[in-house]
Amino acid sequence: MLVLGLGSDLCNITRIEASMARFGDRFLDRLFTDVERAKADRRQLTRAATYAKRFAAKEACAKALGTGFRRGVFWRDMGVVNLPSGAPTLALTGGAAARLAEITPAGYTPAIHLTITDDHPWAQAIVLITASSQ
């Protein structure tokens, strides 16, 4: 197994909550996928924390891809989804998927490992991108 990238991010939940209050749907639509919005909007008591964890996951993923939010990698190209086991991971589309393909050696299959947590006022995410030979 090869390690292709590692990224981490720490996000202030209060900052996300303030952006939600100030910009509303414009902020949420710009950064989050429909799947992420549906999950967060079901959690009224922890709504801001749910969004903050996903924000941190996208930041960590962009770092692990080695681009940040440049070279065609956009916020909505990375969406937090859950595996059947319930474990979180990231589904990549657009420029993020293209970048993942670019850094994956021929004959290898990439995997994205994600851990997210929160303890108010902080949300944290760590992303590890690996590749295994086929």
Side-chain angles (χ1 to χ4, degrees), residues 24-40:
D25 284 338
R26 192 174 71 175
F27 171 74
L28 298 174
D29 288 341
R30 181 170 178 233
L31 274 63
F32 301 101
T33 66
D34 293 340
V35 170
E36 291 172 315
R37 292 203 55 193
K39 183 169 196 104

Side-chain angles (χ1 to χ4, degrees), residues 29-33 36 54-55 57-59 61-63 65 67-80 90-99:
D29 288 341
R30 181 170 178 233
L31 274 63
F32 301 101
T33 66
E36 291 172 315
R54 280 145 184 80
F55 184 97
K58 292 165 187 277
E59 287 272 7
C61 185
K63 292 171 185 175
L65 289 170
T67 59
F69 292 98
R70 301 183 321 270
R71 297 181 52 195
V73 175
F74 299 103
W75 289 96
R76 288 178 49 96
D77 289 346
M78 297 165 280
V80 176
L90 286 147
L92 305 186
T93 60
R99 176 61 181 164

